[in-house]
Amino acid sequence: MAITRFAPSPTGRLHVGNVRTALINWVVARQSGGTFILRLDDTDAERSTDAFAQGIREDMAWLGLAWDKEARQSERFDRYDEARWKLVEQGRLYPCYETPQELETQRSLQRARGMPPVYDRSARSLTPAERTALENDGRRPHWRFLLGNDPVGFEDLIRGPVAFEPGHVSDPVLVREDGVPTYTLASVVDDMDMGVTHVIRGEDHVSNTAVQIELIAALGGAPITFGHHPLLTAAEGEGLSKRTGGGAVADLREEGIEPMALVSYLARLGTSLPIEPFYDLEDVVEAFDFATISRNPPRYDPADVSTLNQKWLHGAPYEVIADALGSLDSAFWDLVRGNVKHAREAHDWWRICNEFITPVLDDAAFAEAAADVLPPEPWDETTWKAWTQAVKEETGRKGKELFMPLRLALTGLDHGPELAGLLPYMGMERVKARLAGQEA
Ligand code: GLU
């Protein structure tokens, strides 16, 4: 049974790129009847806010991606501290006193000599007396994890075998000068404590993975399976950023995108399978397969989301959309669903049938002739045909000449659902008034 987690920092709004990560993790947990954890990476007290955390929960709930447990890193500092001292005892975590400027100078020199800009570990040769002197000088240490000398390899669920040679990355800082653990330490401790079995995240984290694997081993944790998916790029070819807000879930919701339409889009974007509407999350779970995920960065295009949303609505059975329709019944939904881009437009059509509109009339005589041959009520879906047949006989008009003036008079618009379906909802009195050019 897989235990997965989605670990956003509550420093911005959820965007489509995050949701793809969340969705894959959610699916992997569900496929095995496992556990899906929502972990808020909020160690950065300055940038993390409760409002962003709440926004993330709301977006996840709206998408239907229910989580079994929630954790906040800001409540777990004790655990990070324990891990820290354990590593110190093992001699794997060592204090360093270089300032950012000193480190930058060191890197420039290394680059100038054609060497990789890897931290030279000089702090490890400081004597206790030198350390005391630095501290008396007011310097506070940051702490680095001593990486091993062996290559680290792992089998990525998406990228296949990945190998890291030693000596190419600096010993990572696990505890900052102010005592706050970095993401690397906090994340590994959480993954271990929570029994996480699969870490699936964006490709931007692949370079952290070798370090995390070493850290898990040093802390005695069970091995984790990793998967890194390519990041979405925006239609303009730029990366999506939660700070600039591109593709924010809340904006898409506001726009009228259906949650399942967005889930459907993200379930298939960047895979070898066609994008198609899903109406049940269970089907998304069943259809998901790592083997279909492409190695190329998929292009996120809001226009594609809109197109799929429309397609999704056209095919949406009443049951899956009933909440958004409120008092509208299933017959009415079936009538209008082929003509809406957003579910709320169903209400617009309801109002067109039941509330005032301004009819568009360019031939009053024709409209009057049509009104004269309206069949008596009660009306049903056969009324339209009987009526237009009578109008045709009366006026000699046919085709568009016949239908368009009636549509414009009855709805005020030149497009829309079948009038045969709308007519009974309007009723004789209203139809007569509209044909007479009255607002009705
Ligand atoms: N908070 C990290 C991020 O949003 C989590 C990365 C991870 O999944 O390990 O990038």
Side-chain angles (χ1 to χ4, degrees), residues 99-117:
T99 63
Q101 292 84 341
E102 285 166 353
L103 290 170
E104 189 43 51
T105 307
Q106 191 183 106
R107 285 193 290 263
S108 310
L109 283 171
Q110 286 167 319
R111 284 195 206 97
R113 291 193 203 116
M115 289 157 63

Side-chain angles (χ1 to χ4, degrees), residues 185-205:
L185 178 62
S187 184
V188 161
V189 171
D190 289 343
D191 288 339
M192 285 173 49
D193 283 0
M194 296 169 201
V196 167
T197 56
H198 296 69
V199 168
I200 300 131
R201 55 190 175 185
E203 220 165 51
D204 50 334
H205 282 288

Side-chain angles (χ1 to χ4, degrees), residues 5 7-9 18 39 41 183 187 191 199-201 204-205 212 242:
R5 85 304 193 268
S9 306
N18 307 128
R39 189 184 87 197
D41 285 6
Y183 151 75
S187 184
D191 288 339
V199 168
I200 300 131
R201 55 190 175 185
D204 50 334
H205 282 288
Q212 293 182 4
K242 64 179 168 188

